[in-house]
Amino acid sequence: MPLFPPTPPRQNGLIDVGDGHRLYWEEVGRACGAPALFLHGGPGAGCSERHRQLFDPDHYRAVLFDQRGAGRSQPFGELSANSTGHLVADIEALRVHLGVERWLVVGGSWGSTLALAYAEAHPERVTGLILRGVFLGRDSEVDWFMHKMGDFQPEARAAFLAALPEAERGDLLASYYARLTDDDPDVRLAAARAWAGYEDACATLLPSPTPGGVDSAAYAIARLEAHYFVHRLFLADAPLLDGVARIAHLPGVIVQGRYDLVCPPVSAWELAQRWPRAELRMVDAAGHSLWEPGVLEATLAALDVAKGWG
């Protein structure tokens, strides 16, 4: 199942959500189509043109936006007033701004976390969810990212450690966060490159032909991920699994790579056990990335199934 043809936004703009933040948003597809919201990963990754191509333009009215500090939103890389609660409120502000009553919510990796947080806070505004590479924001998942996924990519972990002086390796998260928030932009960028390189190496089952990314993307991803990790994803007082009962009536599809090193499959499996209307689609020959063939095909198939959800 291929991506849909490239298409420019039908409309786009910036929405002022307060706290000095202005969010870039865009809409593709039919003006009277079935509303769908796409939530990017990271935090900090931003949306790309290819994300638009996930949605059938003859059926969906798809809305994509760059979360606080990410992509084309302003100010870029900003950490202040940037939390899960802020992002959930931003989604509601965007929904009201666009005059959407209810929408399908689609998110992968951190986008799955935010999708669940939003749906549990506003279940009456959601028609269903499509989640990929599930991340529940638990301490165990952060610990896996920082310390254990490197067991499967020891070369990448060695480079991740080597970017820090030996004296700073006792608490990797605290040390990286200190560097990613340092006053010296060169220190911040060097730490961001190391962080993003480590994550990129673990994101696909087979080595990516185009590893890494532009410095601006690495900078936002690393800063925002470390910021959210340090603050326990701003979810410590409201674990997402405990709130699944609020969305038990909603349909869902969970797409999960069997060999996902970034977000281990156990989280997707545990979520599916709590959510009676969710279908777990485990993709055997795949890792974390949306763009791996099996994951992409399963995601597109889920979006096709969701056309029947009301």
Side-chain angles (χ1 to χ4, degrees), residues 109 112 116 131-138 141 241 244 252-260 262-276 278-283 287-288:
S109 194
S112 74
L116 284 168
L131 309 178
R132 187 266 312 164
V134 169
F135 180 66
L136 298 175
R138 297 177 292 186
E141 292 165 297
L241 275 182
V244 172
V253 176
I254 301 168
V255 176
Q256 181 69 41
R258 174 76 68 183
Y259 301 104
D260 187 336
V262 179
C263 298
V266 65
S267 294
W269 186 85
E270 290 178 5
L271 176 61
Q273 303 312 299
R274 300 275 192 103
W275 186 4
E279 177 191 354
L280 174 59
R281 298 185 177 184
M282 196 72 75
V283 183
H288 182 68

Side-chain angles (χ1 to χ4, degrees), residues 137-229:
R138 297 177 292 186
D139 292 347
S140 59
E141 292 165 297
V142 174
D143 182 67
W144 170 272
F145 182 99
M146 296 302 304
H147 301 288
K148 297 175 184 176
M149 73 179 183
D151 287 352
F152 296 88
Q153 290 284 355
E155 302 95 333
R157 177 171 57 191
F160 186 55
L161 293 174
L164 295 175
E166 192 167 352
E168 295 181 25
R169 297 175 192 172
D171 187 334
L172 291 178
L173 179 55
S175 296
Y176 262 100
Y177 189 57
R179 286 176 170 266
L180 289 164
T181 54
D182 194 273
D183 290 338
D184 186 336
D186 291 334
V187 172
R188 296 198 300 268
L189 185 55
R193 286 171 176 160
W195 181 291
Y198 176 54
E199 184 170 357
D200 282 347
C202 297
T204 55
L205 181 61
L206 299 177
S208 170
T210 55
V214 297
D215 282 345
S216 59
Y219 178 79
I221 290 171
R223 267 175 65 88
L224 285 163
E225 286 184 349
H227 169 70
Y228 273 72
F229 284 3

Side-chain angles (χ1 to χ4, degrees), residues 7-264:
T7 180
R10 189 170 52 76
Q11 59 175 346
N12 61 0
L14 289 169
I15 179 173
D16 190 332
V17 291
D19 311 305
H21 287 274
R22 301 174 74 212
L23 307 184
Y24 172 84
W25 63 270
E26 60 185 34
E27 188 176 303
V28 296
R30 299 173 58 210
C32 58
L37 173 70
F38 179 81
L39 299 175
H40 67 70
C47 293
S48 73
E49 293 181 5
R50 277 207 293 174
H51 290 137
R52 301 175 194 155
Q53 296 178 250
L54 296 170
F55 297 92
D56 181 350
D58 292 328
H59 179 83
Y60 284 110
R61 175 192 177 189
V63 177
L64 303 86
F65 80 102
D66 293 336
Q67 297 156 28
R68 295 189 182 209
R72 293 148 290 187
S73 292
Q74 304 166 358
F76 181 70
E78 181 59 53
L79 304 183
S80 66
N82 197 332
S83 71
T84 304
H86 286 106
L87 300 188
V88 168
D90 292 345
I91 294 170
E92 269 297 275
L94 183 58
R95 183 190 64 76
V96 172
H97 177 72
L98 295 176
V100 173
E101 184 67 23
R102 299 170 71 222
W103 46 13
L104 171 72
V105 181
V106 182
S109 194
W110 159 254
S112 74
T113 322
L114 183 55
L116 284 168
Y118 173 75
E120 290 179 8
H122 301 282
E124 73 284 357
R125 298 303 180 188
V126 179
T127 59
L129 297 116
I130 296 174
L131 309 178
R132 187 266 312 164
V134 169
F135 180 66
L136 298 175
R138 297 177 292 186
D139 292 347
S140 59
E141 292 165 297
V142 174
D143 182 67
W144 170 272
F145 182 99
M146 296 302 304
H147 301 288
K148 297 175 184 176
M149 73 179 183
D151 287 352
F152 296 88
Q153 290 284 355
E155 302 95 333
R157 177 171 57 191
F160 186 55
L161 293 174
L164 295 175
E166 192 167 352
E168 295 181 25
R169 297 175 192 172
D171 187 334
L172 291 178
L173 179 55
S175 296
Y176 262 100
Y177 189 57
R179 286 176 170 266
L180 289 164
T181 54
D182 194 273
D183 290 338
D184 186 336
D186 291 334
V187 172
R188 296 198 300 268
L189 185 55
R193 286 171 176 160
W195 181 291
Y198 176 54
E199 184 170 357
D200 282 347
C202 297
T204 55
L205 181 61
L206 299 177
S208 170
T210 55
V214 297
D215 282 345
S216 59
Y219 178 79
I221 290 171
R223 267 175 65 88
L224 285 163
E225 286 184 349
H227 169 70
Y228 273 72
F229 284 3
V230 162
H231 292 94
R232 303 180 72 191
L233 286 301
F234 302 92
L235 292 169
D237 295 330
L240 293 176
L241 275 182
D242 291 352
V244 172
R246 300 189 189 100
I247 62 167
H249 62 291
L250 295 174
V253 176
I254 301 168
V255 176
Q256 181 69 41
R258 174 76 68 183
Y259 301 104
D260 187 336
L261 297 186
V262 179
C263 298

